[in-house]
Amino acid sequence: MTQGHFQSRPTTNAKSVTVTVTYLEQTNRPAFPPKPSPKGKIAILQAIEIPIHYYRYLYRLVGDSCNWVSRRRMSDQDLKDVIHHPDVEIYILYANGAPAGFGEIDRRNDAFHEIKFFGLAPEFQGRRLGGFFLSNIIDIAWAKDPQKVRLETCTLDHPAALPLYQKYGFDVYDRRDGVVELMDQPPTPN
């Protein structure tokens, strides 16, 4: 999920690129049930009042390869105000005990709920976990009967992201070009 990197204009002299952001939505809850768990010890757990340092670790673990930066620029207090809001939910995918991905659902808008961030850590991609995790996050996003569920992706995200979202019932409702400031060397998560 790409809200982590879209900007209307760069904030420093760093290298910038133009990207296409694709906005998607579901207007009805999908008829299919969540996919069954792949082989191995797989769990999806909700993190209630996730520690800021752990959220930042997950955000970078999943987002550095896609150049997510928006939450990296937030102060600890500003980030806490968002992710500890009672209508924001954080879900972590664990594979064999290790964090393999995370999803964030924002329910603060009454008209639609948004899958704000979603992704897998690079070392867990290609293991058939993406569809399992996404189908469960979609099911959770629809749990409180919103009118719509939305998400967005951009051309810096994994190339399989847009086709996966469309496979799971999301339709494009808008596309826009924007500017993203690239990180020189994405730091490795601590």
Side-chain angles (χ1 to χ4, degrees):
M1 180 69 58
T2 63
Q3 295 202 4
H5 43 61
F6 183 65
Q7 297 172 212
S8 59
R9 60 186 171 83
T11 57
T12 68
N13 293 329
K15 183 179 177 183
S16 299
V17 296
T18 300
V19 298
T20 300
V21 180
T22 302
Y23 299 87
L24 301 109
E25 68 184 7
Q26 293 177 336
T27 56
N28 293 299
R29 187 178 195 143
F32 57 84
K35 289 184 76 160
S37 177
K39 291 185 179 181
K41 294 182 179 181
I42 308 297
I44 299 171
L45 299 176
Q46 183 179 6
I48 309 292
E49 293 191 10
I50 186 171
I52 300 301
H53 71 87
Y54 191 51
Y55 180 90
R56 287 191 187 279
Y57 166 79
L58 292 170
Y59 183 85
R60 291 180 59 196
L61 178 72
V62 172
D64 272 2
S65 65
C66 299
N67 205 70
W68 291 359
V69 296
S70 66
R71 296 279 170 92
R72 290 181 66 183
R73 292 188 172 121
M74 294 175 81
S75 70
D76 284 352
Q77 186 59 54
D78 288 345
L79 181 59
K80 182 179 180 181
D81 290 346
V82 172
I83 66 174
H84 288 183
H85 189 282
D87 292 324
V88 174
E89 301 168 359
I90 311 296
Y91 293 90
I92 304 166
L93 173 69
Y94 291 94
N96 296 324
F102 92 102
E104 180 177 327
I105 300 170
D106 187 337
R107 299 182 190 280
R108 293 179 291 177
N109 187 317
D110 290 335
F112 63 88
H113 294 170
E114 186 172 12
I115 301 173
K116 198 77 164 174
F117 294 98
F118 174 84
L120 299 177
E123 61 269 26
F124 289 95
Q125 294 171 1
R127 297 186 185 184
R128 308 189 74 70
L129 293 170
F132 163 75
F133 189 33
L134 180 60
S135 68
N136 279 276
I137 291 296
I138 291 169
D139 193 55
I140 293 166
W142 279 102
K144 294 185 180 177
D145 296 322
Q147 295 172 23
K148 299 176 184 181
V149 171
R150 288 185 167 173
L151 58 77
E152 65 184 61
T153 189
C154 91
T155 49
L156 288 179
D157 283 334
H158 191 283
L162 179 58
L164 181 68
Y165 299 148
Q166 290 176 310
K167 177 181 176 181
Y168 280 83
F170 283 93
D171 295 316
V172 174
Y173 71 89
D174 196 9
R175 279 196 171 92
R176 296 184 194 161
D177 289 335
V179 176
V180 172
E181 185 177 306
L182 297 176
M183 295 182 284
D184 289 335
Q185 292 275 334
T188 307
N190 299 338

